[in-house]
Structure formats: structure tokens, C-alpha cells
Amino acid sequence: MRILVMNPNTTASMTASIRATATAAAAPGTEIIATEPRWGPESIEGHFEGCLSAAAVLDRLATLDTPFDALVMAGFGEPGREGAQELLDVPVLDITESAAQMAMMLGHAYGIVTTLDRAVPQIRDRLLTAGLLQRCAAVRGTGLGVLELERDEERTVEVVIETAREVVRAGAEVICLGCGGMAGLQEKVAAALGLPVVDGVAAAVKFAEAVVGLGLTTSTGRSFAPPRPKTIGCWPLSTHLPLERAQGSACNTEFSAQTSGI
């Protein structure tokens, strides 16, 4: 079995961390392939970057020539999964729903520790849409940006544990790590709390193995039927970019809403 794990941002070091966590969780005989989009934001912290990332991920999936049996989308609370379900004929799992589903098997109420506070509404909206919000005791931000998670692991673990304790006080019996960039921290956080801590990447890999093992995949009967044939200009985008731009070396741009007039 071959599982593709998609980091939704373009930071290769985060892809490597996600790959390591997915590989550690995978059963013998399961091959993990991890990648990221060829273009898009280096981290995702808001709706604007989330929508860009969703398009970039779908672009990457449309041009990937490596076969795989299931897809794990490693963005927490971010859009795009439904589009991937329409595009692909293999099971598609995301770490948000996978983490919550597994947590609900382990305790009455769960809580989520994520990055910035601005991510909290997006995560809550995602859980609400998935029908998983009712048993969520709390979602709390650590105040750490996505890219900050990798700079000082000791400090990151300390802040995650501190925030997780707030979530436990709010009634959570199980903690979910609410960012793909937190992959690999679950054991240290669990040891400090004395409670189960679910990493979404690991949970999604195990669910993917189960779904593929049962011979199941996404229903195409209604909601996730394949896209209707039509003309989409410059789609996929990466096939219209020079090779060096598609690899990201010549298309890095700074975005500022203040200076752009937005």
C-alpha cells in the first residue's frame, strides 16, 4: 500500500517532519510518499493563504505522476479536501477530521491545541461542517506561527503543553495537535499531561490504511462526483510555468495587503 501525504505549504523541512511522523505510524508494508505544492504560501495562517494553498495542492495532485492508494492532507482546518475527493479515485483523509474522530474514540470530550489564535475560527468551522464540534471542549492557539514551530523544539513543546493544560481545564480528556507542523510532538506532550494526545498525521495514516484495506473509497454518487468536463484557463497552473518557477526558485513574492491596496 502506498499513501501520499500532502503538506499544504511549500516549506520542505515541514514536509520532512510530516513524512517522518507518517512513516513511524505506518504499518509494515505501507510506503509513505510526502510532498508539497510547487507554488503557494510557505505557511498557512488565514483564509487567504488557505484558499491559495487549496488551489496549489489540487494543482500538484493533478500533475503528480506517482501512483498511490490513498491521500492524507496534512493541513489542519484548511480547505481543499472536498476538491481532492472529486479529483481522485482513491480515499482522501485530512488530519483535522482524522484527529477528532480518533480522539472521540478515546474520551468523552476532546480539545485542540493549534498555532495562532486566528486559526481557531477556521478549525471550529471545519469541525462544525464535519459534524464533530459538539464533543470539542475547546480550541486554543499557542501564539506560535507555523514556521516558529521548527525554530526551537524545546520552547514549542513547552508552549504546547501549557496551552494543552488550558484545554484540559476546559473539559478535554484527549488532546489533538492542531497543525501538521506539530507532527512528532505527541509523546512529549502526552507524558507531561498524563492524557492521550492524538497527532493528526499519524491518525490519518492509520485510517487510510483501514479504508484501503477494506477496499473502500470516496462515494461518487452525489457530493463528490468527478468534476464536469469544462475549459479551465491555464489549468493545471504548474504546467504553464517555466520549470524553475514551478519548482519555486524564481516565483517567491512578498505579499502585503497594506501596500497592495487590498
Side-chain angles (χ1 to χ4, degrees):
M1 181 187 310
R2 179 179 285 178
I3 297 176
L4 173 66
V5 182
M6 177 66 70
N7 173 14
N9 67 47
T10 58
T11 300
S13 60
M14 200 161 289
T15 303
S17 174
I18 290 169
R19 179 188 295 111
T21 296
T23 300
T30 296
E31 179 183 358
I32 298 294
I33 305 168
T35 190
E36 67 275 334
R38 289 196 173 100
W39 56 274
E42 62 181 348
S43 65
I44 304 163
E45 292 158 332
H47 295 285
F48 171 75
E49 293 161 355
C51 291
L52 284 179
S53 168
V57 165
L58 293 174
D59 179 278
R60 183 75 171 113
L61 292 171
T63 56
L64 197 68
D65 58 4
T66 301
F68 53 91
D69 300 299
L71 170 67
V72 168
M73 300 183 71
F76 209 98
E78 289 148 19
R81 192 210 63 198
E82 295 87 350
Q85 287 179 290
E86 292 185 5
L87 181 68
L88 303 175
D89 59 2
V90 300
V92 178
L93 296 98
D94 85 315
I95 65 173
T96 316
E97 294 185 22
S98 295
Q101 293 279 11
M102 185 163 286
M104 290 192 300
M105 299 176 191
L106 305 174
H108 179 267
Y110 69 95
I112 296 170
V113 176
T114 189
T115 52
L116 301 178
D117 181 67
R118 67 178 297 169
V120 172
Q122 287 176 262
I123 292 172
R124 291 181 62 85
D125 284 351
R126 187 74 193 178
L127 295 172
L128 178 63
T129 300
L132 301 170
L133 185 60
Q134 185 174 359
R135 286 174 60 186
C136 181
V139 184
R140 295 282 190 275
T142 59
L144 296 174
V146 173
L147 298 181
E148 290 180 81
L149 297 173
E150 295 185 325
R151 291 177 188 165
D152 184 344
E153 183 175 325
E154 185 176 340
R155 173 61 178 158
T156 295
V157 171
E158 179 183 325
V159 174
V160 169
I161 290 170
E162 180 182 336
T163 308
R165 288 191 172 120
E166 295 178 14
V167 175
V168 172
R169 287 193 288 271
E173 301 168 6
V174 183
I175 297 296
C176 298
L177 299 180
C179 178
M182 294 179 180
L185 304 183
Q186 64 271 21
E187 291 183 6
K188 292 180 180 179
V189 179
L193 297 178
L195 293 173
V197 175
V198 179
D199 175 83
V201 173
V205 166
K206 301 311 290 185
F207 279 132
E209 288 178 334
V211 173
V212 173
L214 290 170
L216 300 172
T217 192
T218 306
S219 171
T220 59
R222 191 181 187 188
S223 301
F224 304 118
R228 298 183 66 188
K230 63 186 65 176
T231 300
I232 304 177
C234 293
W235 169 259
L237 175 62
S238 57
T239 63
H240 296 268
L241 297 174
L243 179 60
E244 67 275 9
R245 293 193 66 198
Q247 293 173 337
S249 61
C251 58
N252 297 323
T253 59
E254 294 281 341
F255 177 82
S256 170
Q258 191 173 30
T259 58
S260 67
I262 294 178

mmCIF file with all atom_site columns, all heavy atoms in Angstrom, residues 236-258:
data_model
loop_
_atom_site.group_PDB
_atom_site.id
_atom_site.type_symbol
_atom_site.label_atom_id
_atom_site.label_alt_id
_atom_site.label_comp_id
_atom_site.label_asym_id
_atom_site.label_entity_id
_atom_site.label_seq_id
_atom_site.pdbx_PDB_ins_code
_atom_site.Cartn_x
_atom_site.Cartn_y
_atom_site.Cartn_z
_atom_site.occupancy
_atom_site.B_iso_or_equiv
_atom_site.pdbx_formal_charge
_atom_site.auth_seq_id
_atom_site.auth_comp_id
_atom_site.auth_asym_id
_atom_site.auth_atom_id
_atom_site.pdbx_PDB_model_num
ATOM 1   N N   . PRO A 1 236 ? -3.637 22.593 -15.412 1.00 0.00 ? 236 PRO A N   1
ATOM 2   C CA  . PRO A 1 236 ? -3.047 22.989 -14.126 1.00 0.00 ? 236 PRO A CA  1
ATOM 3   C C   . PRO A 1 236 ? -2.004 24.103 -14.314 1.00 0.00 ? 236 PRO A C   1
ATOM 4   O O   . PRO A 1 236 ? -1.252 24.090 -15.290 1.00 0.00 ? 236 PRO A O   1
ATOM 5   C CB  . PRO A 1 236 ? -2.386 21.722 -13.609 1.00 0.00 ? 236 PRO A CB  1
ATOM 6   C CG  . PRO A 1 236 ? -2.873 20.619 -14.482 1.00 0.00 ? 236 PRO A CG  1
ATOM 7   C CD  . PRO A 1 236 ? -3.245 21.241 -15.793 1.00 0.00 ? 236 PRO A CD  1
ATOM 8   N N   . LEU A 1 237 ? -1.947 25.003 -13.376 1.00 0.00 ? 237 LEU A N   1
ATOM 9   C CA  . LEU A 1 237 ? -1.080 26.167 -13.493 1.00 0.00 ? 237 LEU A CA  1
ATOM 10  C C   . LEU A 1 237 ? 0.379  25.782 -13.659 1.00 0.00 ? 237 LEU A C   1
ATOM 11  O O   . LEU A 1 237 ? 1.104  26.379 -14.450 1.00 0.00 ? 237 LEU A O   1
ATOM 12  C CB  . LEU A 1 237 ? -1.250 27.056 -12.265 1.00 0.00 ? 237 LEU A CB  1
ATOM 13  C CG  . LEU A 1 237 ? -0.315 28.264 -12.165 1.00 0.00 ? 237 LEU A CG  1
ATOM 14  C CD1 . LEU A 1 237 ? -0.538 29.206 -13.340 1.00 0.00 ? 237 LEU A CD1 1
ATOM 15  C CD2 . LEU A 1 237 ? -0.512 28.992 -10.852 1.00 0.00 ? 237 LEU A CD2 1
ATOM 16  N N   . SER A 1 238 ? 0.856  24.776 -12.911 1.00 0.00 ? 238 SER A N   1
ATOM 17  C CA  . SER A 1 238 ? 2.279  24.445 -12.917 1.00 0.00 ? 238 SER A CA  1
ATOM 18  C C   . SER A 1 238 ? 2.764  23.975 -14.281 1.00 0.00 ? 238 SER A C   1
ATOM 19  O O   . SER A 1 238 ? 3.952  24.073 -14.581 1.00 0.00 ? 238 SER A O   1
ATOM 20  C CB  . SER A 1 238 ? 2.586  23.380 -11.863 1.00 0.00 ? 238 SER A CB  1
ATOM 21  O OG  . SER A 1 238 ? 1.807  22.231 -12.061 1.00 0.00 ? 238 SER A OG  1
ATOM 22  N N   . THR A 1 239 ? 1.864  23.482 -15.130 1.00 0.00 ? 239 THR A N   1
ATOM 23  C CA  . THR A 1 239 ? 2.294  23.059 -16.467 1.00 0.00 ? 239 THR A CA  1
ATOM 24  C C   . THR A 1 239 ? 2.519  24.245 -17.389 1.00 0.00 ? 239 THR A C   1
ATOM 25  O O   . THR A 1 239 ? 3.095  24.103 -18.461 1.00 0.00 ? 239 THR A O   1
ATOM 26  C CB  . THR A 1 239 ? 1.248  22.120 -17.108 1.00 0.00 ? 239 THR A CB  1
ATOM 27  O OG1 . THR A 1 239 ? 0.019  22.826 -17.287 1.00 0.00 ? 239 THR A OG1 1
ATOM 28  C CG2 . THR A 1 239 ? 1.023  20.896 -16.245 1.00 0.00 ? 239 THR A CG2 1
ATOM 29  N N   . HIS A 1 240 ? 2.052  25.427 -16.965 1.00 0.00 ? 240 HIS A N   1
ATOM 30  C CA  . HIS A 1 240 ? 2.207  26.636 -17.777 1.00 0.00 ? 240 HIS A CA  1
ATOM 31  C C   . HIS A 1 240 ? 3.356  27.511 -17.287 1.00 0.00 ? 240 HIS A C   1
ATOM 32  O O   . HIS A 1 240 ? 3.619  28.561 -17.870 1.00 0.00 ? 240 HIS A O   1
ATOM 33  C CB  . HIS A 1 240 ? 0.903  27.452 -17.765 1.00 0.00 ? 240 HIS A CB  1
ATOM 34  C CG  . HIS A 1 240 ? -0.248 26.733 -18.386 1.00 0.00 ? 240 HIS A CG  1
ATOM 35  N ND1 . HIS A 1 240 ? -0.577 26.860 -19.728 1.00 0.00 ? 240 HIS A ND1 1
ATOM 36  C CD2 . HIS A 1 240 ? -1.127 25.843 -17.869 1.00 0.00 ? 240 HIS A CD2 1
ATOM 37  C CE1 . HIS A 1 240 ? -1.629 26.089 -19.988 1.00 0.00 ? 240 HIS A CE1 1
ATOM 38  N NE2 . HIS A 1 240 ? -1.980 25.475 -18.882 1.00 0.00 ? 240 HIS A NE2 1
ATOM 39  N N   . LEU A 1 241 ? 4.020  27.099 -16.205 1.00 0.00 ? 241 LEU A N   1
ATOM 40  C CA  . LEU A 1 241 ? 5.132  27.858 -15.669 1.00 0.00 ? 241 LEU A CA  1
ATOM 41  C C   . LEU A 1 241 ? 6.455  27.290 -16.169 1.00 0.00 ? 241 LEU A C   1
ATOM 42  O O   . LEU A 1 241 ? 6.571  26.086 -16.364 1.00 0.00 ? 241 LEU A O   1
ATOM 43  C CB  . LEU A 1 241 ? 5.128  27.799 -14.131 1.00 0.00 ? 241 LEU A CB  1
ATOM 44  C CG  . LEU A 1 241 ? 3.941  28.411 -13.406 1.00 0.00 ? 241 LEU A CG  1
ATOM 45  C CD1 . LEU A 1 241 ? 4.050  28.130 -11.918 1.00 0.00 ? 241 LEU A CD1 1
ATOM 46  C CD2 . LEU A 1 241 ? 3.883  29.907 -13.651 1.00 0.00 ? 241 LEU A CD2 1
ATOM 47  N N   . PRO A 1 242 ? 7.465  28.136 -16.376 1.00 0.00 ? 242 PRO A N   1
ATOM 48  C CA  . PRO A 1 242 ? 8.803  27.617 -16.644 1.00 0.00 ? 242 PRO A CA  1
ATOM 49  C C   . PRO A 1 242 ? 9.222  26.687 -15.521 1.00 0.00 ? 242 PRO A C   1
ATOM 50  O O   . PRO A 1 242 ? 8.797  26.863 -14.369 1.00 0.00 ? 242 PRO A O   1
ATOM 51  C CB  . PRO A 1 242 ? 9.678  28.871 -16.685 1.00 0.00 ? 242 PRO A CB  1
ATOM 52  C CG  . PRO A 1 242 ? 8.738  29.996 -16.962 1.00 0.00 ? 242 PRO A CG  1
ATOM 53  C CD  . PRO A 1 242 ? 7.427  29.604 -16.328 1.00 0.00 ? 242 PRO A CD  1
ATOM 54  N N   . LEU A 1 243 ? 10.060 25.709 -15.797 1.00 0.00 ? 243 LEU A N   1
ATOM 55  C CA  . LEU A 1 243 ? 10.424 24.693 -14.824 1.00 0.00 ? 243 LEU A CA  1
ATOM 56  C C   . LEU A 1 243 ? 10.954 25.301 -13.535 1.00 0.00 ? 243 LEU A C   1
ATOM 57  O O   . LEU A 1 243 ? 10.569 24.908 -12.436 1.00 0.00 ? 243 LEU A O   1
ATOM 58  C CB  . LEU A 1 243 ? 11.474 23.739 -15.403 1.00 0.00 ? 243 LEU A CB  1
ATOM 59  C CG  . LEU A 1 243 ? 11.964 22.628 -14.459 1.00 0.00 ? 243 LEU A CG  1
ATOM 60  C CD1 . LEU A 1 243 ? 10.805 21.748 -14.035 1.00 0.00 ? 243 LEU A CD1 1
ATOM 61  C CD2 . LEU A 1 243 ? 13.042 21.788 -15.144 1.00 0.00 ? 243 LEU A CD2 1
ATOM 62  N N   . GLU A 1 244 ? 11.843 26.308 -13.657 1.00 0.00 ? 244 GLU A N   1
ATOM 63  C CA  . GLU A 1 244 ? 12.427 26.879 -12.448 1.00 0.00 ? 244 GLU A CA  1
ATOM 64  C C   . GLU A 1 244 ? 11.387 27.592 -11.596 1.00 0.00 ? 244 GLU A C   1
ATOM 65  O O   . GLU A 1 244 ? 11.451 27.605 -10.383 1.00 0.00 ? 244 GLU A O   1
ATOM 66  C CB  . GLU A 1 244 ? 13.579 27.848 -12.788 1.00 0.00 ? 244 GLU A CB  1
ATOM 67  C CG  . GLU A 1 244 ? 13.169 29.128 -13.511 1.00 0.00 ? 244 GLU A CG  1
ATOM 68  C CD  . GLU A 1 244 ? 13.074 28.949 -15.021 1.00 0.00 ? 244 GLU A CD  1
ATOM 69  O OE1 . GLU A 1 244 ? 13.159 27.784 -15.461 1.00 0.00 ? 244 GLU A OE1 1
ATOM 70  O OE2 . GLU A 1 244 ? 12.925 29.952 -15.741 1.00 0.00 ? 244 GLU A OE2 1
ATOM 71  N N   . ARG A 1 245 ? 10.349 28.142 -12.233 1.00 0.00 ? 245 ARG A N   1
ATOM 72  C CA  . ARG A 1 245 ? 9.282  28.790 -11.462 1.00 0.00 ? 245 ARG A CA  1
ATOM 73  C C   . ARG A 1 245 ? 8.399  27.745 -10.815 1.00 0.00 ? 245 ARG A C   1
ATOM 74  O O   . ARG A 1 245 ? 7.974  27.900 -9.679  1.00 0.00 ? 245 ARG A O   1
ATOM 75  C CB  . ARG A 1 245 ? 8.443  29.700 -12.350 1.00 0.00 ? 245 ARG A CB  1
ATOM 76  C CG  . ARG A 1 245 ? 9.199  30.920 -12.871 1.00 0.00 ? 245 ARG A CG  1
ATOM 77  C CD  . ARG A 1 245 ? 8.234  31.929 -13.468 1.00 0.00 ? 245 ARG A CD  1
ATOM 78  N NE  . ARG A 1 245 ? 7.375  32.487 -12.449 1.00 0.00 ? 245 ARG A NE  1
ATOM 79  C CZ  . ARG A 1 245 ? 6.234  33.117 -12.725 1.00 0.00 ? 245 ARG A CZ  1
ATOM 80  N NH1 . ARG A 1 245 ? 5.827  33.233 -13.970 1.00 0.00 ? 245 ARG A NH1 1
ATOM 81  N NH2 . ARG A 1 245 ? 5.508  33.626 -11.753 1.00 0.00 ? 245 ARG A NH2 1
ATOM 82  N N   . ALA A 1 246 ? 8.105  26.660 -11.532 1.00 0.00 ? 246 ALA A N   1
ATOM 83  C CA  . ALA A 1 246 ? 7.278  25.603 -10.971 1.00 0.00 ? 246 ALA A CA  1
ATOM 84  C C   . ALA A 1 246 ? 7.930  24.988 -9.749  1.00 0.00 ? 246 ALA A C   1
ATOM 85  O O   . ALA A 1 246 ? 7.262  24.503 -8.844  1.00 0.00 ? 246 ALA A O   1
ATOM 86  C CB  . ALA A 1 246 ? 7.016  24.516 -12.017 1.00 0.00 ? 246 ALA A CB  1
ATOM 87  N N   . GLN A 1 247 ? 9.266  25.015 -9.702  1.00 0.00 ? 247 GLN A N   1
ATOM 88  C CA  . GLN A 1 247 ? 9.975  24.484 -8.543  1.00 0.00 ? 247 GLN A CA  1
ATOM 89  C C   . GLN A 1 247 ? 10.133 25.520 -7.447  1.00 0.00 ? 247 GLN A C   1
ATOM 90  O O   . GLN A 1 247 ? 10.675 25.242 -6.389  1.00 0.00 ? 247 GLN A O   1
ATOM 91  C CB  . GLN A 1 247 ? 11.357 23.986 -8.976  1.00 0.00 ? 247 GLN A CB  1
ATOM 92  C CG  . GLN A 1 247 ? 11.271 22.759 -9.889  1.00 0.00 ? 247 GLN A CG  1
ATOM 93  C CD  . GLN A 1 247 ? 12.616 22.363 -10.446 1.00 0.00 ? 247 GLN A CD  1
ATOM 94  O OE1 . GLN A 1 247 ? 13.536 23.168 -10.524 1.00 0.00 ? 247 GLN A OE1 1
ATOM 95  N NE2 . GLN A 1 247 ? 12.719 21.104 -10.823 1.00 0.00 ? 247 GLN A NE2 1
ATOM 96  N N   . GLY A 1 248 ? 9.667  26.725 -7.685  1.00 0.00 ? 248 GLY A N   1
ATOM 97  C CA  . GLY A 1 248 ? 9.611  27.732 -6.646  1.00 0.00 ? 248 GLY A CA  1
ATOM 98  C C   . GLY A 1 248 ? 10.828 28.606 -6.523  1.00 0.00 ? 248 GLY A C   1
ATOM 99  O O   . GLY A 1 248 ? 10.902 29.455 -5.645  1.00 0.00 ? 248 GLY A O   1
ATOM 100 N N   . SER A 1 249 ? 11.851 28.441 -7.384  1.00 0.00 ? 249 SER A N   1
ATOM 101 C CA  . SER A 1 249 ? 13.088 29.182 -7.187  1.00 0.00 ? 249 SER A CA  1
ATOM 102 C C   . SER A 1 249 ? 13.032 30.599 -7.737  1.00 0.00 ? 249 SER A C   1
ATOM 103 O O   . SER A 1 249 ? 13.866 31.418 -7.392  1.00 0.00 ? 249 SER A O   1
ATOM 104 C CB  . SER A 1 249 ? 14.244 28.433 -7.868  1.00 0.00 ? 249 SER A CB  1
ATOM 105 O OG  . SER A 1 249 ? 14.012 28.329 -9.256  1.00 0.00 ? 249 SER A OG  1
ATOM 106 N N   . ALA A 1 250 ? 12.068 30.878 -8.602  1.00 0.00 ? 250 ALA A N   1
ATOM 107 C CA  . ALA A 1 250 ? 12.044 32.201 -9.216  1.00 0.00 ? 250 ALA A CA  1
ATOM 108 C C   . ALA A 1 250 ? 10.706 32.896 -9.094  1.00 0.00 ? 250 ALA A C   1
ATOM 109 O O   . ALA A 1 250 ? 10.453 33.877 -9.759  1.00 0.00 ? 250 ALA A O   1
ATOM 110 C CB  . ALA A 1 250 ? 12.418 32.082 -10.697 1.00 0.00 ? 250 ALA A CB  1
ATOM 111 N N   . CYS A 1 251 ? 9.817  32.368 -8.233  1.00 0.00 ? 251 CYS A N   1
ATOM 112 C CA  . CYS A 1 251 ? 8.493  32.983 -8.142  1.00 0.00 ? 251 CYS A CA  1
ATOM 113 C C   . CYS A 1 251 ? 8.125  33.320 -6.707  1.00 0.00 ? 251 CYS A C   1
ATOM 114 O O   . CYS A 1 251 ? 6.964  33.409 -6.366  1.00 0.00 ? 251 CYS A O   1
ATOM 115 C CB  . CYS A 1 251 ? 7.430  32.071 -8.763  1.00 0.00 ? 251 CYS A CB  1
ATOM 116 S SG  . CYS A 1 251 ? 7.329  30.444 -8.013  1.00 0.00 ? 251 CYS A SG  1
ATOM 117 N N   . ASN A 1 252 ? 9.115  33.497 -5.855  1.00 0.00 ? 252 ASN A N   1
ATOM 118 C CA  . ASN A 1 252 ? 8.835  33.882 -4.483  1.00 0.00 ? 252 ASN A CA  1
ATOM 119 C C   . ASN A 1 252 ? 8.517  35.372 -4.412  1.00 0.00 ? 252 ASN A C   1
ATOM 120 O O   . ASN A 1 252 ? 9.302  36.195 -4.855  1.00 0.00 ? 252 ASN A O   1
ATOM 121 C CB  . ASN A 1 252 ? 10.040 33.586 -3.586  1.00 0.00 ? 252 ASN A CB  1
ATOM 122 C CG  . ASN A 1 252 ? 10.342 32.102 -3.529  1.00 0.00 ? 252 ASN A CG  1
ATOM 123 O OD1 . ASN A 1 252 ? 9.423  31.300 -3.519  1.00 0.00 ? 252 ASN A OD1 1
ATOM 124 N ND2 . ASN A 1 252 ? 11.602 31.747 -3.513  1.00 0.00 ? 252 ASN A ND2 1
ATOM 125 N N   . THR A 1 253 ? 7.367  35.725 -3.875  1.00 0.00 ? 253 THR A N   1
ATOM 126 C CA  . THR A 1 253 ? 6.968  37.118 -3.772  1.00 0.00 ? 253 THR A CA  1
ATOM 127 C C   . THR A 1 253 ? 6.466  37.416 -2.377  1.00 0.00 ? 253 THR A C   1
ATOM 128 O O   . THR A 1 253 ? 5.856  36.564 -1.728  1.00 0.00 ? 253 THR A O   1
ATOM 129 C CB  . THR A 1 253 ? 5.856  37.470 -4.781  1.00 0.00 ? 253 THR A CB  1
ATOM 130 O OG1 . THR A 1 253 ? 4.726  36.626 -4.526  1.00 0.00 ? 253 THR A OG1 1
ATOM 131 C CG2 . THR A 1 253 ? 6.331  37.279 -6.203  1.00 0.00 ? 253 THR A CG2 1
ATOM 132 N N   . GLU A 1 254 ? 6.753  38.616 -1.914  1.00 0.00 ? 254 GLU A N   1
ATOM 133 C CA  . GLU A 1 254 ? 6.231  39.076 -0.631  1.00 0.00 ? 254 GLU A CA  1
ATOM 134 C C   . GLU A 1 254 ? 4.846  39.657 -0.858  1.00 0.00 ? 254 GLU A C   1
ATOM 135 O O   . GLU A 1 254 ? 4.626  40.405 -1.802  1.00 0.00 ? 254 GLU A O   1
ATOM 136 C CB  . GLU A 1 254 ? 7.153  40.135 -0.028  1.00 0.00 ? 254 GLU A CB  1
ATOM 137 C CG  . GLU A 1 254 ? 8.521  39.629 0.363   1.00 0.00 ? 254 GLU A CG  1
ATOM 138 C CD  . GLU A 1 254 ? 8.513  38.876 1.678   1.00 0.00 ? 254 GLU A CD  1
ATOM 139 O OE1 . GLU A 1 254 ? 7.555  39.061 2.445   1.00 0.00 ? 254 GLU A OE1 1
ATOM 140 O OE2 . GLU A 1 254 ? 9.444  38.087 1.925   1.00 0.00 ? 254 GLU A OE2 1
ATOM 141 N N   . PHE A 1 255 ? 3.893  39.332 0.010   1.00 0.00 ? 255 PHE A N   1
ATOM 142 C CA  . PHE A 1 255 ? 2.550  39.898 -0.120  1.00 0.00 ? 255 PHE A CA  1
ATOM 143 C C   . PHE A 1 255 ? 2.271  40.796 1.066   1.00 0.00 ? 255 PHE A C   1
ATOM 144 O O   . PHE A 1 255 ? 2.489  40.428 2.211   1.00 0.00 ? 255 PHE A O   1
ATOM 145 C CB  . PHE A 1 255 ? 1.490  38.793 -0.161  1.00 0.00 ? 255 PHE A CB  1
ATOM 146 C CG  . PHE A 1 255 ? 0.085  39.337 -0.227  1.00 0.00 ? 255 PHE A CG  1
ATOM 147 C CD1 . PHE A 1 255 ? -0.457 39.730 -1.433  1.00 0.00 ? 255 PHE A CD1 1
ATOM 148 C CD2 . PHE A 1 255 ? -0.666 39.513 0.932   1.00 0.00 ? 255 PHE A CD2 1
ATOM 149 C CE1 . PHE A 1 255 ? -1.736 40.266 -1.492  1.00 0.00 ? 255 PHE A CE1 1
ATOM 150 C CE2 . PHE A 1 255 ? -1.937 40.044 0.879   1.00 0.00 ? 255 PHE A CE2 1
ATOM 151 C CZ  . PHE A 1 255 ? -2.476 40.423 -0.332  1.00 0.00 ? 255 PHE A CZ  1
ATOM 152 N N   . SER A 1 256 ? 1.798  41.970 0.790   1.00 0.00 ? 256 SER A N   1
ATOM 153 C CA  . SER A 1 256 ? 1.395  42.891 1.844   1.00 0.00 ? 256 SER A CA  1
ATOM 154 C C   . SER A 1 256 ? 0.068  43.512 1.471   1.00 0.00 ? 256 SER A C   1
ATOM 155 O O   . SER A 1 256 ? -0.035 44.239 0.497   1.00 0.00 ? 256 SER A O   1
ATOM 156 C CB  . SER A 1 256 ? 2.450  43.987 2.040   1.00 0.00 ? 256 SER A CB  1
ATOM 157 O OG  . SER A 1 256 ? 1.958  44.998 2.894   1.00 0.00 ? 256 SER A OG  1
ATOM 158 N N   . ALA A 1 257 ? -0.960 43.211 2.232   1.00 0.00 ? 257 ALA A N   1
ATOM 159 C CA  . ALA A 1 257 ? -2.278 43.787 1.959   1.00 0.00 ? 257 ALA A CA  1
ATOM 160 C C   . ALA A 1 257 ? -2.234 45.299 2.071   1.00 0.00 ? 257 ALA A C   1
ATOM 161 O O   . ALA A 1 257 ? -2.921 46.015 1.355   1.00 0.00 ? 257 ALA A O   1
ATOM 162 C CB  . ALA A 1 257 ? -3.306 43.217 2.933   1.00 0.00 ? 257 ALA A CB  1
ATOM 163 N N   . GLN A 1 258 ? -1.404 45.802 2.963   1.00 0.00 ? 258 GLN A N   1
ATOM 164 C CA  . GLN A 1 258 ? -1.331 47.257 3.180   1.00 0.00 ? 258 GLN A CA  1
ATOM 165 C C   . GLN A 1 258 ? -0.760 47.967 1.969   1.00 0.00 ? 258 GLN A C   1
ATOM 166 O O   . GLN A 1 258 ? -1.253 49.003 1.540   1.00 0.00 ? 258 GLN A O   1
ATOM 167 C CB  . GLN A 1 258 ? -0.477 47.541 4.416   1.00 0.00 ? 258 GLN A CB  1
ATOM 168 C CG  . GLN A 1 258 ? -0.548 48.996 4.883   1.00 0.00 ? 258 GLN A CG  1
ATOM 169 C CD  . GLN A 1 258 ? 0.165  49.177 6.202   1.00 0.00 ? 258 GLN A CD  1
ATOM 170 O OE1 . GLN A 1 258 ? 1.123  48.481 6.506   1.00 0.00 ? 258 GLN A OE1 1
ATOM 171 N NE2 . GLN A 1 258 ? -0.291 50.117 6.987   1.00 0.00 ? 258 GLN A NE2 1
#
